[in-house]
Amino acid sequence: MNIGILGAGNIGRPLGRHWVAAGHRVTFGSRDPGRLASSVEPLGERARAATYAEAVGASDVVLLSVPHPALDGLLGRLAGPLAGKTVIDATSPIGVSPEGLFVSVLEPGVTRGSRSAELLPDSPVTRAFCHFPDELLWSRGTRQRHFWGMGTASDDPGARQLTETLVHDAGFVPVHLGGLGESAALDPGGALFGHVSTAAGLRAAAGL
């Protein structure tokens, strides 16, 4: 596949490495593509750095892994170019409550997946890679391939299948939780946020 990754940080970088190793072509999108050279060049000819718009234009599926405060503005600018492309939202609307608990900064009852789908009405949106600790994405997907579960959510069957393929290619076992409106378990404060387990363990934690 041709995959665009918007944001080459702690989530986008290890996933890009997994997907290049699986034979896909990856374009890392950044506000400043030049600063990605040292991390992208070692990945070989199937990886390159580009602007956000160029990464979207070169890709069939796009991973969102920019910092959450920048997400809605970026989607507003790229909604047109993203039309018709599957969009995997891996961002986390994370905040901390007065009691010190992780919580979503979105309005009550609104999931990150449903918000992104609202902003991208012409793109099938999915959720994945958003509950798993980012520092483990490379090691768990490499040393213990297809042992750990990865929660996903989608309203579109085709986008779900594509996302589950990429979850598998990153070394994880996809666990479908349902539609985007039912994906609160993946958001900060949700039952699966920060939870690392087998596919069966994720299903049990989510009450499936």
Side-chain angles (χ1 to χ4, degrees):
M1 301 181 199
N2 293 310
I3 304 169
I5 296 179
L6 306 188
N10 293 339
I11 295 175
R13 189 178 298 116
L15 291 178
R17 291 175 66 191
H18 282 309
W19 290 331
V20 167
H24 301 296
R25 291 174 293 277
V26 176
T27 302
F28 293 92
S30 172
R31 290 179 299 176
D32 182 9
R35 69 183 180 86
L36 301 182
S38 61
S39 59
V40 172
E41 288 177 0
L43 299 182
E45 62 182 12
R46 288 197 301 272
R48 70 185 183 98
T51 65
Y52 289 136
E54 290 168 341
V56 169
S59 305
D60 306 309
V61 56
V62 175
L63 177 82
L64 304 176
S65 59
V66 298
H68 186 263
L71 180 59
D72 284 7
L74 182 64
L75 296 186
R77 295 192 299 274
L78 294 177
L82 284 168
K85 300 176 187 286
T86 294
V87 175
I88 303 172
D89 187 341
T91 67
S92 293
I94 190 167
V96 179
S97 73
E99 297 78 24
L101 301 173
F102 288 131
V103 295
S104 172
V105 299
L106 300 177
E107 306 92 294
V110 177
T111 67
R112 180 64 251 181
S114 59
R115 170 63 61 82
S116 292
E118 179 183 356
L119 294 173
L120 299 174
D122 298 317
S123 302
V125 173
T126 71
R127 286 283 273 164
F129 307 110
C130 49
H131 72 89
F132 205 90
D134 54 27
E135 67 271 17
L136 300 179
L137 284 171
W138 178 252
S139 60
R140 296 295 172 93
T142 303
R143 300 172 193 163
Q144 298 169 302
R145 287 184 64 77
H146 306 133
F147 180 80
W148 302 102
M150 181 67 69
T152 71
S154 176
D155 296 331
D156 182 279
R160 171 185 172 179
Q161 182 177 15
L162 188 154
T163 298
E164 290 180 345
T165 295
L166 291 180
V167 167
H168 181 273
D169 288 351
F172 299 94
V173 179
V175 177
H176 184 66
L177 302 180
L180 297 175
E182 305 166 305
S183 63
L186 300 175
D187 289 348
L192 299 188
F193 189 76
H195 193 57
V196 177
S197 188
T198 61
L202 291 189
R203 293 188 186 97
L208 300 178

